[in-house]
Amino acid sequence: MNVRDILNAGPVIPVVTVDDAARGPGLARALLAGGIRVIEVTMRTPAALDAVRAIRAQVPDCIVGVGTLLDRRQIGPAVEAGAVFAVSPGFDPDLVAPVAAAGLAYLPGIQTVSEAMAARRAGLDTLKFFPAKAAGGTYALDQIRPVLPDIAFCPTGGIGAEDAPAYLKLANVLCVGGSFPAPTDAINAGDWGRIEDLARQAAALKV
């Protein structure tokens, strides 16, 4: 799948931190039951890649990727675990080619027009806008659209259920990323009913 296909799969990509890999499949099933197919597992815990591996094995309908990709050393393990896509908080031109060669769809982050132009020169037309709220939010994205009309964004960072609709109304926004469909406390508690309800609300944000 290419990155736009992934981002177009739903209005919200849950960005999750998993401390216990055994909870990964239950989390993925709850999100799917609520109408969300795509999940980004951040590589911030020792359990992250095992969680990706478990999700791919047990919940094959889920499109699972990894977040917080910072250097080349993380690419191979992410592919081995079964990740379909990778997300970086910023734009590092040295990561573009190796990520593509590994067969991963790639969503690097930018915060400024200069960074977006550099990513565009590297052949990328779909970017993460991070941290969205701190970088100017919907106003900034609306200002970027006329000067870079071919670039589409997934804003992430400081976005909750209450302000996600304002982002989703923008012509250059495909979806938003955030933890609000699957809060860490609900994951740690195994509260799949709560996550299914939150996922259903998130999936309904944009028709």
Side-chain angles (χ1 to χ4, degrees):
M1 299 182 74
N2 66 46
V3 69
R4 288 210 179 186
D5 288 338
I6 292 167
L7 299 191
N8 280 320
V12 180
I13 296 179
V15 180
V16 304
T17 301
V18 181
D19 293 307
D20 180 355
R23 297 199 182 278
L27 166 62
R29 291 188 189 100
L31 291 169
L32 272 175
I36 290 181
R37 292 184 62 210
V38 181
I39 179 172
E40 176 192 332
V41 178
T42 65
M43 293 191 288
R44 301 177 197 169
T45 71
L49 292 179
D50 284 336
V52 171
R53 191 175 291 108
I55 292 168
R56 283 302 305 273
Q58 298 181 42
V59 196
D61 289 338
C62 183
I63 302 168
V64 60
V66 293
T68 329
L69 181 76
L70 301 176
D71 58 58
R72 293 180 182 222
R73 293 172 297 177
Q74 296 172 295
I75 297 172
V79 172
E80 187 276 331
V84 175
F85 66 97
V87 183
S88 293
F91 173 65
D92 180 347
D94 290 338
L95 286 176
V96 176
V99 170
L104 291 171
Y106 190 36
L107 185 69
I110 64 95
Q111 191 177 48
T112 68
V113 171
S114 295
E115 291 168 335
M117 289 174 64
R120 186 174 180 271
R121 284 195 299 273
L124 303 174
D125 66 1
T126 309
L127 303 169
K128 172 179 174 174
F129 185 61
F130 176 81
K133 199 164 189 177
T138 57
Y139 178 79
L141 284 163
D142 201 37
Q143 295 298 302
I144 291 170
R145 182 184 55 78
V147 295
L148 293 172
D150 55 331
I151 304 294
F153 292 96
C154 171
T156 305
I159 299 175
E162 66 284 348
D163 49 3
Y167 286 91
L168 293 168
K169 288 178 182 177
L170 299 176
N172 56 346
V173 169
L174 300 179
C175 66
V176 301
S179 62
F180 61 92
T184 301
D185 63 332
I187 297 172
N188 290 340
D191 191 348
W192 308 137
R194 178 185 170 200
I195 288 175
E196 181 179 338
D197 287 343
L198 291 172
R200 188 171 291 109
Q201 294 170 35
L205 287 176
K206 184 179 181 183
V207 179

